Amino acid sequence: MFFKRLRMDIDAAKRNDPAARSKFEIWLTYSGVKALSRHRLANFLYRIHLKLLARIVSQWTKFTTGIEIHPAAKIAPGVFIDHGEGVVIGETAEVGTGTVLYQGCTLGGTGKEVGKRHPTVGENCVISAGAKILGNITIGDYAKVGAGAVVLRNVPAHATVVGVPARIVRIGGSRDCVDLVQEKDDPMLRELCALRERVIALEEKLNARDKVNEDENLQHADKN
């Protein structure tokens, strides 16, 4: 079972990384493959209640690869962690087969709540560099999370999300997304629009006042 999962991890790396020249090179040098292999050992130790030993393996993996995965996290075989530096996967996180995680992404929590408090990522998803997925939310199959996005709510299957906080910009091949209606838009964008409208209103008032002053000056000049 261990070697079958290792082969699936290596195949995922070969499939997703055009720089990979051979499976032997992947097994020998890819930090993501190493981290996943050691995580499976840590996860086994955790499930048989050797939790301290599991944490030691986890921290050793973090030290050697830059990837921190809690021993209790559930990661399916065939996941690819590209580069991997700074990747953090929390205790109750789940990651489906075929998903690609890029450097600096986080599958984390939002506080000290108990129970399921980390994300569930479906199959064949792409979590781009620096993305933060926080809380007990679900990322649907084949979804894509843009670089640097902060995801705080569920993402449907086949959707693409970007921004802080993340918003849906595409579902499948369509841009006609429910999430693009005004009341669900980016709060920062709404604030900028409100400021723009206020500036326009103030400019109109100033222009009107200047016109009144100009008319008064003309009338005064005519009297003189």
Side-chain angles (χ1 to χ4, degrees):
M1 180 64 73
F2 173 82
F3 292 104
K4 179 181 178 181
R5 292 181 174 182
L6 176 60
R7 283 196 298 270
M8 292 179 68
D9 292 341
I10 293 173
D11 288 341
K14 187 72 168 63
R15 183 171 60 252
N16 288 287
D17 187 1
R21 294 179 296 180
S22 70
K23 293 183 178 180
F24 180 73
E25 179 186 59
I26 293 170
W27 173 74
L28 195 64
T29 64
Y30 275 47
S31 59
V33 173
K34 292 180 180 179
L36 290 172
S37 297
R38 295 169 188 172
H39 168 69
R40 303 196 197 290
L41 171 60
N43 182 255
F44 171 75
L45 294 172
Y46 194 89
R47 286 186 285 108
I48 63 173
H49 303 292
L50 296 176
K51 295 184 178 181
L52 176 59
L53 188 56
R55 291 290 294 189
I56 291 173
V57 172
S58 172
Q59 293 303 301
W60 172 58
T61 302
K62 175 186 175 184
F63 177 75
T64 56
T65 67
I67 300 169
E68 182 173 3
I69 308 175
H70 192 283
K74 298 178 182 178
I75 303 179
V79 170
F80 177 43
I81 301 177
D82 195 6
H83 299 292
E85 185 70 33
V87 169
V88 177
I89 301 178
E91 179 182 8
T92 59
E94 300 178 31
V95 183
T97 299
T99 289
V100 179
L101 305 172
Y102 288 93
Q103 67 273 14
C105 69
T106 299
L107 308 183
T110 56
K112 296 183 178 180
E113 59 275 2
V114 296
K116 183 75 167 72
R117 63 187 187 279
H118 296 98
T120 297
V121 180
E123 297 182 355
N124 300 297
C125 297
V126 175
I127 312 300
S128 300
K132 312 301 178 187
I133 306 175
L134 306 176
N136 180 19
I137 59 177
T138 299
I139 309 298
D141 296 343
Y142 295 92
K144 296 179 180 179
V145 178
V150 178
V151 186
L152 301 174
R153 55 182 176 177
N154 294 338
V155 176
H158 299 276
T160 300
V161 298
V162 299
V164 182
R167 62 188 186 280
I168 299 172
V169 295
R170 185 188 297 270
I171 296 180
S174 173
R175 291 180 181 273
D176 298 328
C177 308
V178 175
D179 198 74
L180 292 180
V181 298
Q182 182 68 20
E183 66 270 21
K184 291 186 179 179
D185 207 347
D186 188 341
M188 184 64 71
L189 181 61
R190 288 202 303 270
E191 186 67 22
L192 290 173
C193 289
L195 289 172
R196 180 175 178 273
E197 290 175 0
R198 182 168 176 79
V199 168
I200 291 173
L202 289 172
E203 287 179 344
E204 289 176 350
K205 288 182 179 180
L206 288 173
N207 290 335
R209 182 176 298 176
D210 289 342
K211 190 174 186 309
V212 170
N213 290 336
E214 184 179 348
D215 292 342
E216 290 178 350
N217 290 335
L218 288 173
Q219 290 175 3
H220 182 69
D222 290 341
K223 288 179 180 179
N224 292 333

